[in-house]
Amino acid sequence: QQSELNSFLWTIKREPPSYFFGTIHVPYTHVWDSVPENSKKAFQQSHIVYFELDLTDRYTISALTSCQLLPQGKNLQDVLPRDIYRRLKRHLEYVKLMMPSWMTPDQQGKGLYADYLFNAIAGNWERKKPVWVMLMMNSLTEVDIKSRGVPILDLYLAQEAERLGKQTGAVEKVEEQCHPLNGLNFSQV
């Protein structure tokens, strides 16, 4: 029964009540049918919604992009061992070649082109820090490509909150996301 599922919804007992809902960074269509009604109802009844980051804010997206870059004048081939860099480059060439066959007819019908999608995900990859390239590589699979164009759960909820006229905010700043990842050394990555 959906009503008996663990909803990842915690209630903070106050008047009016507050709720804390744990999300996952996947396309919302992968999990939305499994989100129990009590969580959806709490969202619908809320007036103010806070997210991990404000993914609808241009500054947030720009700052996330900037924090992923190596220092000016540095490229990935300067920091990766030569054999890993070559394997990475070959794999990205393979992904770019395969991407048209990974796209769905629905994506193509919406005007998404494989070259555009590849550049949106992997563009400027040679300027990114290794940890961000690793995360990028994890999203360059056939299953993930077929889901592109569908917002992740956090973004979907933020867009819904805006559509419904709810006040929104964020509990973290971009730097709080970037610094821990950028603080990993090469062997940890």
Side-chain angles (χ1 to χ4, degrees):
Q1 285 280 43
Q2 189 181 29
S3 61
E4 296 173 15
L5 293 175
N6 180 352
S7 64
F8 302 101
L9 180 73
W10 288 266
T11 303
I12 301 167
K13 292 183 179 173
R14 57 181 296 270
E15 202 46 55
S18 291
Y19 301 97
F20 186 81
F21 179 65
T23 59
I24 184 169
H25 297 169
V26 297
Y28 85 95
T29 53
H30 291 187
V31 295
W32 191 247
D33 290 343
S34 298
V35 174
E37 288 305 316
N38 66 336
S39 300
K40 292 176 182 176
K41 184 178 177 185
F43 177 78
Q44 288 295 327
Q45 292 176 346
S46 68
H47 301 289
I48 304 170
V49 183
Y50 278 84
F51 298 95
E52 183 178 12
L53 289 173
D54 185 354
L55 297 177
T56 63
D57 178 60
R58 288 184 193 170
Y59 168 78
T60 299
I61 302 306
S62 174
L64 272 172
T65 301
S66 294
C67 88
Q68 297 177 20
L69 299 178
L70 288 164
Q72 193 65 31
K74 285 263 189 198
N75 287 314
L76 200 55
Q77 69 184 37
D78 300 329
V79 298
L80 285 182
R82 179 179 278 168
D83 63 321
I84 292 177
Y85 178 81
R86 285 184 185 153
R87 285 176 35 212
L88 174 62
K89 190 171 183 171
R90 276 195 313 271
H91 183 71
L92 286 170
E93 289 167 358
Y94 163 78
V95 167
K96 189 172 187 173
L97 182 69
M98 295 303 297
M99 198 172 274
S101 67
W102 292 350
M103 294 186 66
T104 67
D106 186 49
Q107 287 171 316
Q108 293 165 348
K110 290 179 180 173
L112 267 179
Y113 296 98
D115 284 344
Y116 169 80
L117 193 54
F118 180 83
N119 287 328
I121 300 167
N124 211 17
W125 68 271
E126 293 183 87
R127 290 272 303 117
K128 290 185 179 186
K129 295 175 183 175
V131 68
W132 297 100
V133 172
M134 179 193 66
L135 294 171
M136 175 194 77
M137 293 301 293
N138 287 336
S139 70
L140 284 171
T141 65
E142 183 174 359
V143 170
D144 281 353
I145 295 304
K146 287 182 183 307
S147 296
R148 286 295 168 146
V150 176
I152 63 168
L153 182 58
D154 289 31
L155 180 57
Y156 171 74
L157 289 171
Q159 290 170 336
E160 276 298 290
E162 275 189 357
R163 187 182 69 76
L164 296 169
K166 298 177 185 293
Q167 181 181 331
T168 62
V171 295
E172 289 186 9
K173 294 182 168 99
V174 171
E175 298 76 22
E176 293 169 316
Q177 293 265 315
C178 288
H179 289 311
L181 287 172
N182 286 341
L184 297 173
N185 66 39
F186 185 74
S187 66
Q188 292 169 315
V189 173

